Amino acid sequence: MANEQRTRSASVRPRAEHDRSAPHGDPRDVLARLTRGTDRAGRVTHTEHLPPRNGRHAHWPDRIRPEVIEAVRRTGIERPWEHQARAAAHALDGDSVIIATGTASGKSLSYLVPVLSTLLDGSEAPNGRGATALYLAPTKALAADQRRAVAGLAAPLGTAVRPAVFDGDTPVEEREWVRLYANYVLTNPDMLHRSLLPGHARWSSFLRALRYVVIDECHTYRGVFGSHVAQVLRRLRRVCARYGAEPVFLLASATAAAPGEGAARLTGIRPVEITEDTSPRGETVFALWEPPLTEYEGERGAPVRRTATAEAAELLTDLALDGVRTVAFVRSRRGAELISLIAQDRLAGIPAPRVPGAHPDTAPHPGPPPAPDPWAAHETDVIPPTGAAPDGNVGPGAVAGPGPSVGPDTVAGSGPGMRPSTGVEPDTGLEPGTGVEPHAGVRPDTGVEPGTGLEPGTGVEPHAGVGPDTGVRPGKGVGPDPGVMADTGVLADIGVTTDTHVGSRSHAEPGTGVGSEGAPRTGAMGPDLAGRGVPQGAVPGAGRRGGLSSRIAAYRGGYLPEERRALERALHSGELLGLAATNALELGIDISGLDAVLITGYPGTRASLWQQAGRAGRAGQGALVVLIARDEPLDTYLVHHPESIFATPVESTVLDPHNPYVLAPHLCAAAAEIPLTEADFDLFGPETGSLLRKLEERKLLRRRSTGWHWTRKERAADLTDIRGSGGRPVQVVEADTGRLLGTVDAAAAHTTVHEGAVHLHQGRTYVVRQLDLEDSAALVEEASPPWTTMARDTTSLAVLDTEAEVAWGQARLCFGSVEVTNQVVSYLRRRLITGEVLGESKLDLPPRTLRTRAVWWTVTEDQLDAARITPEILAGSLHAAEHASIGILPLFATCDRWDIGGVSIALHPDTLLPTVFVYDGQPGGAGFAERAFHTARAWLTATRDAIAACECEAGCPSCIQSPKCGNANDPLHKRGAVRLLTELLRSAE
């Protein structure tokens, strides 16, 4: 239930290392100060008060070693909560367990205590390594944070517990020690897939003694990424069995519906569920905030609200002035940069208070007069989208819907002869209803990991001479060898290709392998405002003009490792007072000491919403959480329907380990590790036998008497990138100096770092001089052009197979396989602030093809007549319904709207009827479209109601307009969409 996501308690941490100043006011008082004045008070549409709760204690099981219990007591924890003791008992009994309790409920201690006790027993074996444990985290930063926690907790145990991180940042000289001597290894699924499992013989002593596998933040393993991790875990179980080990799986998640079912799909083992949260929590005040309307007008005179980005920057400024330690979560990398820059600009002239723990009233207030708000009429990416993407032509009458092709709020038009991006309507001669919108699966520079809640940054481990250069190259298909797909048709004939146009996934850090996100814990609640701001230039992205501006910074993926480490240290030490961050900090990294969280736009799922909200108010403190609505259908719907947040459980985890696009490359990897036999069929799933035969036909595997063997020279593990990045990341390099600025996901490169693109990095603006796809490098030069750039592309969609079909009267609701082809063809230069188009430049980039799953519905001519839909408004009605349905789908599937795309067309050549498609942005599908198919009536009913409830006259961003519409939101017909959906749903009854 929702309450399970709103808990607070002590955790595994030792006593605070930093001085804790008094909290800066009750969260109710903080909210009251933020809403002073009539203009502010009216922005809060709902306030939910989540009351404090007392905890229930228990005793540790008798089998826990007394040394471990004493070590826990030294951290200040005398007794566990009941759910911690229950989880520990099951773990000692050899039962796999999932602990699905609230944020900061002490889940780490639940699994650490039995693990440490078992490791202590194992240390008494003759070799000192009679038991080992493996910890898997979705990000390197979380693993590093957990290592610090384990090391601190286990310090009184001496050398009996030897924790070590094994990831792309681990120095080569340390890796041999980890393999031979560490008994608690912390890593991530990427390293397990690419290094540990392929090299299992070198890990034999560790694997032979493996007793526990801890899977932290397991709710992040969903969609295609989760499906890949599920197969990696099956490979791990198989390799462990080879060495006589059968480890117990301990899973932890603060946000999961039906946690046992999700964990069973992930691991292949049904665990015991522990869902009752017995920890205490402090009061949380949760406000829903809708920015006000501005004097600006959008397309076709639609009213425009102030952007969530500008609103978050203003609130972050006010909270900093009030001494309230705050993280502002934002959905895009560029949004994080902008919020920090705006806040720094407004705080530059404000000196930091000199008295430690000063009351907020001692801080200068209300601060400098607000500067003109150039961001008021433009969403997140006004120092703008270096290249948003939206789609191309699908044929006469086609209008494609908003998809994950672009970063939040970036916009772009289609190709030649199409209307350009939002707010721009040059006379292109475009016929009404022709064009496309953002292609699914690519989110340039968003910093958001589709369907996983992750920041890009975890990728390839360069072990044994295999580094990032072995990743899949854009446009080259499967495997590190550009000729593999071209020469052999690897996996192609069985419908298993590694299509290049896939969701934005994480990437390898340059030169180090697996990247990282997130940040370690901070110090106490309430900042030390002794004027000890960050030394000028010491913290990447922090304000460099002194005063409070030096206490504000941005945190996102794409930074270099040393930049992220510096930010993490500053956050950990309390030097930073405010941080604008992408979803990296959403995970379980302990950042205790935060007073408030700003959530800039609904993060896509209720699971992510509660994870982000849980970052504040740890250790039983009160917390303020503010969800700031963006001007789009779902956000508007939520802030006016609070029951959808506070009275609705989190989503079920969606993953499909048996997806052939996922399973086939893992069968190859498994065969390379240990030859496959028929005895493995039950482990890998019912499709195993048929896929093995197809892989054998393609000469990827060879069957011998001992089973199926991998026969190629290439590493089988390189056939797939489990985060689906579609290739190695593109390195952004300063052309004149050769300095590496950062990286961009391969799937996003065409739209974000094409030649001529404007690229923003840590507040500095660069222009891309050259994009070299072969070498995965973008050469840039620093410049300050008075424009931004937006990519334009073309998209077409073909139905490959209809797998399921339901008759809704004369209408048809269908689910099946489709092929989406996308090509970036040009980019626009638009003047900053006004959006005026300054010109268009052609691009010559290769097309990308995506085979995926889609849900679609068709209507007949009679139904159109019944809905009073004339030919003149047909395309606009379909287009409006499609926009809104994409925006509402995240309420019904565990997805972010950037994970899905859409196309609407008045006469589709495959259906020969007016058709609306919504498709997954991942090869083979991610389960989102299938979920939409099975919940279609509720999904489309909510879509119709959201459109009808909007108070605008002809459509606005809060109902049917999309800021990324490649058709410039034309045509759209609001009333037609309501009538059309009403008739469609009437037929479904």
Side-chain angles (χ1 to χ4, degrees):
M1 298 300 294
N3 285 341
E4 294 177 352
Q5 283 77 55
R6 301 175 240 159
T7 58
R8 306 285 182 269
S9 93
S11 65
V12 67
R13 299 294 173 184
R15 288 191 176 97
E17 301 170 3
H18 306 288
D19 294 336
R20 292 177 179 264
S21 54
H24 287 267
D26 182 277
R28 296 171 185 249
D29 296 336
V30 175
L31 181 60
R33 291 196 292 272
L34 285 180
T35 55
R36 286 175 183 161
T38 55
D39 62 326
R40 281 280 188 89
R43 303 180 194 183
V44 177
T45 61
H46 177 82
T47 303
E48 190 84 3
H49 294 274
L50 311 178
R53 180 184 64 203
N54 294 324
R56 299 201 308 269
H57 285 290
H59 294 283
W60 290 115
D62 294 338
R63 289 163 291 170
I64 300 294
R65 294 279 294 249
E67 302 97 315
V68 174
I69 294 176
E70 178 58 29
V72 173
R73 285 177 177 159
R74 291 191 181 192
T75 69
I77 300 173
E78 292 296 326
R79 290 187 296 161
W81 310 122
E82 285 184 6
H83 66 269
Q84 292 175 318
R86 286 182 56 211
H90 281 293
L92 292 172
D93 288 340
D95 300 326
S96 290
V97 180
I98 179 167
I99 311 154
T101 55
T103 307
S105 59
K107 291 182 294 297
S108 297
L109 202 61
S110 302
Y111 58 73
L112 271 178
V113 165
V115 168
L116 294 181
S117 184
T118 301
L119 295 182
L120 194 57
D121 289 339
S123 69
E124 297 170 356
N127 66 352
R129 206 188 196 194
T132 61
L134 182 69
Y135 171 93
L136 295 177
T139 67
K140 285 197 312 180
L142 180 55
D145 186 67
Q146 282 292 305
R147 188 215 165 273
R148 285 189 290 270
V150 174
L153 179 63
L157 305 179
T159 60
V161 176
R162 300 180 296 279
V165 172
F166 186 82
D167 61 25
D169 286 346
T170 305
V172 174
E173 59 272 16
E174 292 182 14
R175 297 185 181 190
E176 189 68 17
W177 184 92
V178 175
R179 282 192 290 270
L180 295 177
Y181 301 109
N183 57 5
Y184 190 83
V185 174
L186 302 98
T187 187
N188 51 54
D190 311 79
M191 291 288 287
L192 188 59
H193 163 61
R194 289 193 180 269
S195 178
L196 196 151
L197 289 176
H200 63 82
R202 290 174 295 165
W203 287 86
S204 59
S205 64
F206 177 87
L207 294 171
R208 187 174 289 111
L210 188 60
R211 294 286 303 277
Y212 293 108
V213 176
V214 177
I215 305 176
D216 207 357
E217 303 291 353
C218 65
H219 67 280
T220 62
Y221 302 122
R222 58 181 182 254
V224 171
F225 175 57
S227 301
H228 278 296
V229 173
Q231 290 298 345
V232 171
L233 293 175
R234 283 158 175 77
R235 287 163 50 200
L236 172 64
R237 290 173 53 201
R238 181 170 174 264
V239 168
C240 286
R242 170 68 174 269
Y243 294 104
E246 189 177 354
V248 171
F249 284 81
L250 306 178
L251 302 96
S253 173
T255 45
E261 295 177 12
R265 284 194 298 270
L266 183 64
T267 63
I269 299 172
R270 182 73 189 204
V272 175
E273 294 185 22
I274 300 212
T275 57
E276 184 184 7
D277 192 335
T278 59
S279 64
R281 72 175 179 209
E283 179 186 27
T284 298
V285 176
F286 201 132
L288 305 183
W289 187 289
E290 185 174 44
L293 292 170
T294 69
E295 69 276 16
Y296 296 95
E297 291 186 352
E299 290 149 347
R300 270 153 289 287
V304 175
R305 292 191 180 276
R306 190 165 188 254
T307 71
T309 300
E311 203 82 341
E314 184 175 284
L315 292 179
L316 182 62
T317 301
D318 290 351
L319 289 166
L321 288 169
D322 225 7
V324 177
R325 296 186 62 187
T326 307
V327 164
F329 285 105
V330 61
R331 291 161 58 105
S332 74
R333 294 179 178 185
R334 187 165 289 101
E337 297 269 11
L338 282 174
I339 287 175
S340 66
L341 286 172
I342 297 169
Q344 288 168 7
D345 183 65
R346 294 181 176 182
L347 292 169
I350 307 299
R354 296 181 179 278
V355 181
H359 187 276
D361 290 342
T362 65
H365 204 282
D373 187 9
W375 294 276
H378 302 271
E379 197 38 280
T380 304
D381 292 327
V382 166
I383 287 184
T386 53
D391 319 30
N393 256 335
V394 189
V399 181
S405 165
V406 296
D409 307 303
T410 57
V411 290
S414 1
M418 303 174 195
R419 291 187 187 272
S421 55
T422 305
V424 184
E425 295 186 46
D427 185 6
T428 61
L430 177 67
E431 290 295 325
T434 305
V436 286
E437 299 192 22
H439 184 57
V442 174
R443 290 184 275 175
D445 206 25
T446 64
V448 181
E449 187 62 29
T452 67
L454 298 184
E455 241 331 275
T458 306
V460 182
E461 130 70 354
H463 184 65
V466 181
D469 288 347
T470 63
V472 182
R473 290 195 175 197
K476 298 299 182 183
V478 180
D481 180 354
V484 171
M485 178 62 110
D487 295 342
T488 66
V490 172
L491 311 181
D493 289 353
I494 59 173
V496 182
T497 59
T498 307
D499 293 308
T500 58
H501 197 82
V502 296
S504 172
R505 293 298 185 211
S506 60
H507 47 265
E509 285 182 4
T512 64
V514 181
S516 80
E517 310 63 32
R521 60 196 175 99
T522 65
M525 177 173 178
D528 173 5
L529 298 177
R532 54 171 187 144
V534 180
Q536 186 167 347
V539 178
R544 288 167 170 78
R545 284 180 285 172
L548 280 179
S549 74
S550 64
R551 307 287 300 278
I552 307 294
Y555 187 95
R556 64 168 177 81
Y559 285 172
L560 299 178
E562 57 270 22
E563 294 171 332
R564 287 198 299 272
R565 297 297 93 78
L567 282 166
E568 291 163 6
R569 286 192 297 270
L571 186 62
H572 174 69
S573 68
E575 290 177 289
L576 287 176
L577 178 58
L579 192 68
T582 50
N583 63 346
L585 296 183
E586 177 183 312
L587 301 179
I589 298 167
D590 188 349
I591 49 175
S592 57
L594 293 178
D595 305 320
V597 164
L598 305 176
I599 303 175
T600 312
Y602 182 63
T605 65
R606 284 181 291 271
S608 291
L609 180 75
W610 287 112
Q611 283 290 107
Q612 292 182 5
R615 294 303 90 195
R618 299 174 75 100
Q621 303 161 0
L624 172 66
V625 180
V626 181
L627 171 62
I628 305 168
R630 288 168 32 147
D631 200 5
E632 60 177 52
L634 182 54
D635 285 35
T636 302
Y637 180 87
L638 288 173
V639 295
H640 291 286
H641 294 81
E643 70 280 0
S644 296
I645 295 175
F646 302 109
T648 306
V650 296
E651 304 85 353
S652 298
T653 302
V654 177
L655 60 92
D656 178 14
H658 309 308
N659 178 341
Y661 288 80
V662 171
L663 178 55
H666 286 286
L667 290 177
C668 292
E673 290 153 8
I674 304 169
L676 286 163
T677 68
E678 292 184 1
D680 297 315
F681 287 13
D682 289 341
L683 177 64
F684 288 105
E687 301 296 324
T688 302
S690 60
L691 280 177
L692 284 175
R693 287 190 291 273
K694 292 177 180 178
L695 291 169
E696 187 179 359
E697 290 172 4
R698 299 308 306 161
K699 301 188 186 305
L700 291 172
L701 297 181
R702 178 176 299 171
R703 188 173 188 179
R704 297 173 181 163
S705 59
T706 54
W708 284 267
H709 296 250
W710 172 251
T711 61
R712 302 181 64 86
K713 295 179 180 179
E714 299 82 8
R715 283 169 36 108
D718 292 333
L719 282 178
T720 187
D721 178 348
I722 67 173
R723 296 184 191 261
S725 66
R728 61 173 174 163
V730 173
Q731 297 182 337
V732 181
V733 179
E734 196 168 36
D736 294 336
T737 65
R739 182 169 65 100
L740 180 64
L741 299 178
T743 59
V744 172
D745 296 334
H750 287 207
T751 53
T752 58
V753 288
H754 56 76
E755 183 177 337
V758 175
H759 180 73
L760 184 67
H761 182 79
Q762 290 192 353
R764 297 181 183 275
T765 305
Y766 299 84
V767 173
V768 179
R769 181 187 299 176
Q770 179 186 358
L771 172 61
D772 187 335
L773 292 176
E774 194 65 29
D775 290 333
S776 296
L779 300 179
V780 302
E781 55 189 2
E782 188 167 359
S784 298
W787 63 76
T788 181
T789 53
M790 299 179 191
R792 308 206 314 174
D793 58 6
T794 61
T795 299
S796 61
L797 184 148
V799 176
L800 301 178
D801 179 49
T802 302
E803 300 177 22
E805 184 174 335
V806 176
W808 281 5
Q810 295 178 327
R812 291 290 183 272
L813 176 73
C814 303
F815 170 74
S817 299
V818 298
E819 183 174 82
V820 184
T821 302
N822 174 268
Q823 183 175 19
V824 175
V825 295
S826 64
Y827 69 94
L828 297 176
R829 294 187 307 280
R830 294 181 61 191
R831 192 182 303 279
L832 287 171
I833 311 304
T834 67
E836 175 190 356
V837 175
L838 302 177
E840 178 179 359
S841 300
K842 304 299 181 186
L843 292 171
D844 182 19
L845 291 168
R848 296 186 173 198
T849 301
L850 172 71
R851 290 192 177 191
T852 186
R853 304 291 182 88
V855 58
W856 65 91
W857 50 269
T858 64
V859 290
T860 65
E861 190 170 328
D862 289 343
Q863 289 177 306
L864 294 177
D865 291 341
R868 293 178 286 119
I869 304 296
T870 64
E872 290 77 18
I873 68 170
L874 173 57
S877 301
L878 292 167
H879 192 193
E882 175 221 331
H883 274 193
S885 67
I886 287 176
I888 294 295
L889 182 56
L891 281 182
F892 298 88
T894 313
C895 68
D896 185 282
R897 70 177 298 160
W898 317 113
D899 297 327
I900 50 180
V903 171
S904 60
I905 186 167
L907 183 64
H908 192 276
D910 293 326
T911 65
L912 301 179
L913 289 169
T915 309
V916 172
F917 294 86
V918 175
Y919 61 88
D920 293 343
Q922 301 299 322
F928 309 135
E930 185 174 10
R931 177 71 174 166
F933 176 78
H934 291 299
T935 62
R937 186 177 300 182
W939 165 43
L940 295 176
T941 298
T943 299
R944 179 199 59 191
D945 294 347
I947 300 173
C950 187
E951 298 177 356
C952 71
E953 180 65 22
C956 68
S958 296
C959 58
I960 62 172
Q961 288 188 354
S962 166
K964 298 166 300 300
C965 178
N967 234 45
N969 285 296
D970 181 41
L972 289 175
H973 200 284
K974 177 180 177 178
R975 293 188 180 89
V978 173
R979 296 198 301 269
L980 181 62
L981 288 168
T982 299
E983 181 62 29
L984 177 70
L985 291 164
R986 182 182 296 117
S987 301
E989 297 175 355

